[in-house]
Amino acid sequence: MQMFPDDLCCFIASGSFSLRSPSGYWFHSNAARMSCYKHPKENLHSKARTSPYPGSKVERSEVPSDKVDWLTEWEDYSPVEYTARSVLAGPQWADPEIGDKKFSPKFNEQDGQVERKSQSGKYTVENGRPRNPVGRTGMAGRGLLGRWGPNHAADPLITRWKRDSSGNKMTHPVSGKNILQFIAIKRKDCGEWAIPGGMVDPGEKLSAALRREFGEEALNSLQKSDAEKEELEKQLNRLFNQDHFVVYKGYVDDPRNTDNAWMETEAVNYHDESGETMDNLPLEAGDDAGKVKWVDIGEKLKLYANHADFVRMVAEKREAHWSEDLDHGCHGGTEIKE
């Protein structure tokens, strides 16, 4: 499947699909819809070209949109080399440098406990380094990312219906559709609002990572007593055994991405239809989250990376309110009020 018109907006498909450029797969998704964008490259690979690089003053080499694809010849391409000191220090979650005599990674494979396969298909390895499957970013090395190649994350998207004081579902005055809410956290590293989530540990199952990340960031589980953790586990069991579906899995347009290291995620929506389960789970920001709150879902949301795309997919799937415009046109996002 190839669709590359200049003004493509609101690409819709059903079932499982992959969208790719001539040089390789861009992403794979089980979701029913990707949100508005003018061109696939710009949608999937915009934040990955922004400067300065997060947590630093390092500026990327500028990459025009027409030079993103690796198949486009660019003899003078000279990306800035950067890997953060925190990564080079050799923490447990990070790979050694390419060329280290004790490091022989098996790219595109399950490498011991480390998953080096991409959800977007097989990626190219050039001069011993994995190559970003979407294209050039203006930066070589790993930046803040620990793994060469794909860095796998899990994003639990928890939703409920917005209700009035009598417990009735609230509808949007313009669209007439029920309003869906999701749990958002404010990231400490960049101050942007996002879906709670984080890296999948080596050997960890996705389901376990989803629960762990939600507990740590939205419920502050790391600071709870043993008795509190036990009660929390019971509530989480109820929540994560409820209605759910895979929203998206694949490449993420993340500002930490480089030519040799990139983020991939699996976002899963767990929906509390009655709202009763979440009523017994008091929100409390923890770990990498500075704040946590329930947020109404709508087209004006402005979220980290392409999290707004994931939220929109859930709204579409649940037939909830998203747009105030009947034609569902493309719009920019606005900040979440604290």
Side-chain angles (χ1 to χ4, degrees):
M1 176 192 307
Q2 274 188 310
M3 299 177 66
F4 305 123
D6 291 337
D7 296 315
L8 180 62
C9 186
C10 299
F11 166 67
I12 302 173
S14 59
S16 177
F17 65 88
S18 293
L19 182 65
R20 66 184 178 93
S21 70
S23 60
Y25 287 99
W26 288 355
F27 67 88
H28 170 79
S29 175
N30 286 330
R33 181 172 183 149
M34 275 298 291
S35 64
C36 298
Y37 53 92
K38 292 185 177 180
H39 192 284
K41 290 178 187 175
E42 294 175 7
N43 183 66
L44 288 174
H45 211 50
S46 174
K47 295 187 178 182
R49 290 181 282 153
T50 55
S51 290
Y53 187 84
S56 77
K57 295 181 180 179
V58 179
E59 297 282 329
R60 299 175 187 265
S61 298
E62 186 175 350
V63 180
S65 294
D66 62 355
K67 295 289 183 66
V68 168
D69 200 303
W70 293 109
L71 289 184
T72 301
E73 291 188 18
W74 191 2
E75 293 182 2
D76 296 330
Y77 178 55
S78 181
V80 173
E81 180 78 29
Y82 175 67
T83 299
R85 290 182 181 179
S86 58
V87 176
L88 293 175
Q92 187 176 4
W93 47 266
D95 290 332
E97 284 288 89
I98 298 292
D100 188 307
K101 294 180 180 179
K102 297 180 180 180
F103 183 51
S104 301
K106 298 178 181 177
F107 294 122
N108 287 302
E109 297 181 34
Q110 177 76 34
D111 187 9
Q113 293 291 307
V114 179
E115 179 59 85
R116 299 194 188 277
K117 289 185 292 186
S118 169
Q119 297 183 35
S120 304
K122 190 172 182 179
Y123 51 86
T124 298
V125 179
E126 192 173 73
N127 298 321
R129 292 184 171 194
R131 196 174 72 177
N132 189 310
V134 176
R136 301 180 176 97
T137 68
M139 178 175 286
R142 284 176 287 164
L144 287 168
L145 299 178
R147 305 294 179 191
W148 293 98
N151 288 254
H152 295 283
D155 291 315
L157 213 171
I158 312 300
T159 56
R160 71 178 183 186
W161 297 110
K162 186 175 185 178
R163 298 176 185 273
D164 59 23
S165 58
S166 300
N168 299 313
K169 293 180 182 178
M170 297 181 67
T171 58
H172 192 274
V174 176
S175 69
K177 293 184 177 182
N178 294 331
I179 299 172
L180 201 62
Q181 296 182 313
F182 81 105
I183 293 176
I185 57 109
K186 189 173 185 180
R187 295 174 61 108
K188 287 182 179 178
D189 57 357
C190 62
E192 292 187 76
W193 288 89
I195 299 166
M199 300 298 189
V200 179
D201 292 336
E204 185 178 31
K205 290 184 177 180
L206 177 75
S207 57
L210 289 163
R211 286 169 56 109
R212 175 179 56 77
E213 287 293 341
F214 178 71
E216 291 175 359
E217 295 194 339
L219 305 174
N220 198 21
S221 61
L222 293 176
Q223 302 301 318
K224 303 294 185 184
S225 66
D226 290 342
E228 289 173 324
K229 287 181 180 178
E230 185 176 347
E231 181 58 33
L232 203 59
E233 278 300 311
K234 293 179 183 178
Q235 300 295 337
L236 287 174
N237 280 337
R238 295 192 188 99
L239 175 64
F240 283 84
N241 282 326
Q242 294 199 62
D243 175 30
H244 65 276
F245 74 98
V246 176
V247 181
Y248 174 88
K249 57 181 179 180
Y251 182 91
V252 179
D253 183 21
D254 192 290
R256 295 169 293 180
N257 291 352
T258 72
D259 286 2
N260 310 119
W262 60 90
M263 288 297 304
E264 296 191 7
T265 195
E266 185 158 342
V268 182
N269 172 223
Y270 292 88
H271 181 64
D272 185 11
E273 179 64 28
S274 67
E276 295 175 357
T277 300
M278 287 308 304
D279 284 344
N280 297 318
L281 282 172
L283 300 181
E284 182 182 351
D287 197 27
D288 299 325
K291 296 181 180 181
V292 60
K293 63 184 292 186
W294 284 100
V295 174
D296 292 357
I297 290 177
E299 67 181 341
K300 296 179 181 179
L301 282 176
K302 185 177 181 181
L303 300 174
Y304 180 77
N306 53 343
H307 287 191
D309 284 331
F310 305 160
V311 173
R312 176 174 184 150
M313 292 175 192
V314 172
E316 297 284 350
K317 177 74 172 181
R318 303 285 179 193
E319 298 184 345
H321 166 72
W322 173 259
S323 175
E324 295 184 14
D325 293 341
L326 297 179
D327 62 357
H328 293 278
C330 299
H331 300 276
T334 56
E335 300 284 355
I336 293 176
K337 295 180 179 180
E338 297 181 16

